[in-house]
């Protein structure tokens, strides 16, 4: 299934709606992880990647209202050409809304979203940033509950629902983020 979403239009909309540069970097990192997952799982890379890029487009517009986050994002995504499947993944990535995750796309976005933050946190404390970050060191950080305490580890571990073991998922995500390290400032 191809998508009618134009990445340049999405980036323009993100620049209009999201002022926080770290949030934009998070969205780019999630896109990179989602594209890598799509390649690995034989899914539509543009559909998955653009879903990752769009997933938090409404975060500043809803001003922290978790009962709205994802609803407005799904609407904005559809205005930009996203299909129903993409909009549903954006909706259900916010657990507060209580919308069940049904497809592999839904489940992939749900576990990729917090992992991008965990990897970013680990890279930021290293002198060599992402370039020297290994799966082994990330696995240690994953087990340290006080490190990046806001990251829901159980959510990341749900990668098993899309057929990946945790270590394999972390390796894939690190490599994906290394591919855009300069855009991420890492």
């Amino acid at each position: 299934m191809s998508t009618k979403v134009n990445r340049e239009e999405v980036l323009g909309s993100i620049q209009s709606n999201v002022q926080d540069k770290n949030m934009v970097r998070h969205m780019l990192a999630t896109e990179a992880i989602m594209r890598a997952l799509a390649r690995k799982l034989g899914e539509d890379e543009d559909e998955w990647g653009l879903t990752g890029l769009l997933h938090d487009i409404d975060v500043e517009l809803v001003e922290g209202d978790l009962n709205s986050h994802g609803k407005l994002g799904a609407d904005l995504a559809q205005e930009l050409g996203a299909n129903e499947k993409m909009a549903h993944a954006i909706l259900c990535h916010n657990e507060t809304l209580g919308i069940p995750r049904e497809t592999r796309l839904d489940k992939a976005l749900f576990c990729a979203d917090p992992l991008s933050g965990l990897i970013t946190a680990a890279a930021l404390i290293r002198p060599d940033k992402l370039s020297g970050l290994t799966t082994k060191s990330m696995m240690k950080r994953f087990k340290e509950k006080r490190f990046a305490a806001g990251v829901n580890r159980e959510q990341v571990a749900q990668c098993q629902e899309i057929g990946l073991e945790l270590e394999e998922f972390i390796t894939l995500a690190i490599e994906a983020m290394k591919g855009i390290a300069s855009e991420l400032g890492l």
Side-chain angles (χ1 to χ4, degrees):
M1 173 190 297
S2 70
T3 176
K4 305 176 294 192
V5 183
N6 177 303
R7 187 173 186 275
E8 296 310 311
E9 284 180 31
V10 169
L11 289 171
S13 185
I14 288 170
Q15 288 171 341
S16 300
N17 293 309
V18 184
Q19 304 310 306
D20 181 342
K21 298 299 176 222
N22 289 329
M23 179 56 68
V24 173
R25 289 183 191 115
H26 162 69
M27 294 162 73
L28 289 166
T30 305
E31 175 191 26
I33 294 169
M34 291 294 289
R35 284 184 181 279
L37 281 170
R39 279 191 300 276
K40 172 93 176 153
L41 301 172
E43 298 287 349
D44 183 318
E45 192 175 327
D46 282 338
E47 181 180 65
W48 281 43
L50 291 166
T51 301
L53 184 59
L54 283 161
H55 82 283
D56 278 341
I57 193 167
D58 68 352
V59 76
E60 290 179 7
L61 298 172
V62 300
E63 298 176 342
D65 178 6
L66 285 179
N67 292 313
S68 298
H69 175 50
K71 290 178 184 176
L72 179 58
D75 290 344
L76 290 170
Q78 287 187 300
E79 286 173 20
L80 289 163
N83 62 38
E84 200 60 47
K85 191 174 162 188
M86 296 167 74
H88 188 269
I90 292 166
L91 271 172
C92 66
H93 95 277
N94 175 6
E95 276 190 303
T96 304
L97 299 178
I99 298 167
R101 290 173 297 284
E102 298 162 352
T103 66
R104 276 210 302 188
L105 177 59
D106 295 346
K107 294 170 185 178
L109 179 60
F110 186 70
C111 59
D113 179 18
L115 182 56
S116 65
L118 187 65
I119 292 171
T120 297
L124 285 171
I125 62 168
R126 298 180 60 86
D128 55 1
K129 304 288 183 230
L130 264 176
S131 67
L133 189 62
T134 64
T135 302
K136 184 178 178 183
S137 66
M138 266 313 305
M139 291 301 291
K140 281 184 191 171
R141 293 289 182 199
F142 187 85
K143 292 173 186 161
E144 289 175 35
K145 300 294 184 221
R146 291 194 333 231
F147 178 78
V151 173
N152 183 332
R153 269 87 168 152
E154 291 76 31
Q155 191 173 332
V156 174
Q158 287 188 22
C159 61
Q160 293 181 339
E161 290 186 23
I162 58 169
L164 296 178
E165 292 302 318
L166 180 61
E167 201 163 319
E168 181 183 18
F169 182 41
I170 287 174
T171 301
L172 177 139
I174 291 170
E175 292 308 309
M177 288 176 63
K178 282 181 180 179
I180 62 162
S182 60
E183 285 180 75
L184 300 176
L186 298 172

